[in-house]
Amino acid sequence: MALSAVNNAAHPQGSPTARDLCLFTPDVSPDTDNITVLKLFNTHKHLTSLPVVEDGRPFGLINRHIFLSQMARPFFHELYDKKSCIAFMDKNPLIVDADATLGEVAGKTVVSGDKTLTDGFIICENGRYLGIGSGIDLIKAVADIHVRQHQQIMQSIEYASVIQASMLSPSRHAMANELTDWCLQWQPRDCVGGDSYYFKSVDQGWLCALADCTGHGVPGAFMTLIFASALEQAIALHGATSPAHLLPCINQHIKDTLGQSGDGQLRQKSRSNDGCDAIIVFVDRRAQSLTWASARMPAFILTPESDQIIALENDRMGIGYSETPYDYRWPSFTRPLHERDLFFTSTDGLTDQIGGKRHIMYGRQRLKDALLRHQSHPMQELARQLLREHADYQGQQTRRDDLTFWGFRYAQQCV
């Protein structure tokens, strides 16, 4: 009988390995008799399995529970006390290399079955026996790794949300400086999100864009970076007064960035089919008009002298997707703005939310009804009422998507 060496120190480089789980245990040779094995189990109450080693090489593993159960049967002492311990030995235990990562060990454990979790596994180095690993210790170690990884991921995402909010902050400040009665809600579903907005004042008026990029969470946030870069380039090329010139430029930038442009084999090599829905509006102070171009983004106008809500025209072609033509042109629309006209637009995270007694989407009609009910309120109060009613409708249902909406009430003194 011999005692195996133990390595309780953490692996010096990279991920933890099987070596970090190596336990200090007795071992026996194939010539050891069963009465000796019984004494070892009685002496070492914590020992769940006893390794069998021959000339430094693993030979098998004796499970404590199975061995004691067998030896407790009538006449087994008389029959097996002096016989070799291999009679009750598992001849095919899981054997892993000391430098195997815990992920690799866990994968082999799944393949080998439940016995490895109860019996443990043998750890070797260059084929020579080092010690055994406990299935429970393996589970705890893997769980601990997952917890640490989750914490690291969440910390990274939380900091990414600070960066994303900081990138949007200049637009919010510019909006506050330009508009007197307005509201903006930006609520990512997963800390960071795929909704984005942009606001820019120029001599003639101001421009605002709202985009709903594919995905949410981290993938959606990456898409907002691509959209922001595309919009900045489009404004640098075409200025801020013509929304219809900006959307095609954004479309081409997204398709080129993601390899979704071209035909045939070139486009087939791209694994993505991503893009965004977006609306870009320009308010002309001199002409007192609203010009917009919309790619699948709904928007509404409410006039103070009417109890009707006007749905603004939008095009049904998305931006940047593989099926969107590279040279596609979105139409532009213009209408006059009058004192206290109310403009409102939102991403589909507002209308597509499941809820209510029938567990169906909130929908555009409920949104229109809410806007009509609260149109006399200041825009900030309108936003609070809308969010409250939307949350009541959602109830216990899970949030489905990022939620963003923006609106303003026109005032001639601001132009």
Side-chain angles (χ1 to χ4, degrees), residues 210-224:
L210 183 65
D212 181 358
C213 300
T214 50
H216 37 73
V218 174
F222 271 107
M223 283 300 300
T224 66

Side-chain angles (χ1 to χ4, degrees), residues 140-399:
K140 290 179 179 178
V142 171
D144 184 59
I145 290 172
H146 287 169
V147 168
R148 292 201 304 271
Q149 289 176 339
H150 178 73
Q151 289 174 340
Q152 291 170 354
I153 291 170
M154 289 308 301
Q155 289 171 355
S156 297
I157 293 175
E158 288 169 2
Y159 189 70
S161 74
V162 175
I163 296 173
Q164 189 175 35
S166 297
M167 292 179 63
L168 296 172
S169 181
S171 289
R172 182 181 284 271
H173 291 321
M175 200 179 296
N177 291 332
E178 183 71 47
L179 306 176
T180 57
D181 191 11
W182 61 283
C183 66
L184 173 67
Q185 286 293 322
W186 179 72
Q187 297 184 0
R189 194 196 77 168
D190 302 315
C191 199
V192 293
D195 288 355
S196 183
Y197 59 87
Y198 178 91
F199 191 96
K200 182 180 180 67
S201 295
V202 295
D203 291 339
Q204 190 175 339
W206 52 264
L207 173 140
C208 187
L210 183 65
D212 181 358
C213 300
T214 50
H216 37 73
V218 174
F222 271 107
M223 283 300 300
T224 66
L225 296 178
I226 297 174
F227 173 81
S229 174
L231 179 58
E232 289 282 4
Q233 289 189 24
I235 292 174
L237 288 172
H238 301 288
T241 62
S242 180
H245 286 97
L246 301 180
L247 291 185
C249 191
I250 296 170
N251 177 57
Q252 293 173 6
H253 180 96
I254 292 175
K255 293 174 77 68
D256 289 342
T257 301
L258 299 179
Q260 295 170 177
S261 58
D263 297 314
Q265 188 175 8
L266 178 62
R267 188 164 62 189
Q268 290 174 5
K269 289 183 179 180
S270 175
R271 298 178 59 187
S272 70
N273 181 23
D274 299 295
C276 65
D277 300 344
I279 185 170
I280 301 179
V281 303
F282 178 74
V283 170
D284 191 319
R285 295 192 191 95
R286 300 169 189 169
Q288 297 184 16
S289 64
L290 173 74
T291 300
W292 73 93
S294 175
R296 302 198 299 207
M297 186 77 76
F300 309 99
I301 287 283
L302 290 85
T303 58
E305 68 276 5
S306 173
D307 59 357
Q308 299 295 315
I309 188 166
I310 301 168
L312 300 183
E313 295 89 343
N314 70 83
D315 192 279
R316 300 308 301 165
M317 183 67 72
I319 300 171
Y321 297 99
S322 295
E323 64 271 15
T324 303
Y326 190 77
D327 57 354
Y328 192 81
R329 294 292 181 265
W330 283 262
S332 177
F333 304 94
T334 300
R335 62 169 287 129
L337 281 174
H338 303 288
E339 183 73 14
R340 297 191 61 77
D341 278 354
L342 189 156
F343 173 92
F344 185 91
T345 185
S346 75
T347 63
D348 61 12
L350 185 68
T351 53
D352 288 359
Q353 177 60 48
I354 296 296
K357 294 180 180 179
R358 298 169 58 193
H359 304 298
I360 60 176
M361 291 193 297
Y362 184 76
R364 292 188 185 180
Q365 188 57 52
R366 287 186 181 84
L367 172 58
K368 292 179 183 179
D369 293 342
L371 292 175
L372 286 169
R373 278 196 308 276
H374 303 300
Q375 63 175 313
S376 61
H377 293 139
M379 294 300 296
Q380 295 290 344
E381 179 61 23
L382 181 149
R384 281 192 288 270
Q385 294 293 336
L386 179 57
L387 285 174
R388 179 184 61 79
E389 292 179 8
H390 191 265
D392 289 344
Y393 184 84
Q394 178 181 335
Q396 299 301 313
Q397 295 289 327
T398 302
R399 170 72 72 83

Side-chain angles (χ1 to χ4, degrees), residues 1 12 31 43 57 65-66 71 73 75 97 102 107 115 117 155 172 188 194 199 263 269 272 319 340 369 371 380:
M1 182 180 67
D31 297 331
T43 302
R57 305 258 174 201
H65 176 73
I66 294 175
M71 292 299 289
R73 296 174 67 179
F75 308 114
D97 188 86
L102 297 191
K115 71 173 185 177
L117 294 178
Q155 289 171 355
R172 182 181 284 271
F199 191 96
D263 297 314
K269 289 183 179 180
S272 70
I319 300 171
R340 297 191 61 77
D369 293 342
L371 292 175
Q380 295 290 344

Side-chain angles (χ1 to χ4, degrees), residues 60-74:
L61 205 58
I62 302 172
N63 176 278
R64 175 191 189 92
H65 176 73
I66 294 175
F67 178 84
L68 294 180
S69 296
Q70 292 293 330
M71 292 299 289
R73 296 174 67 179

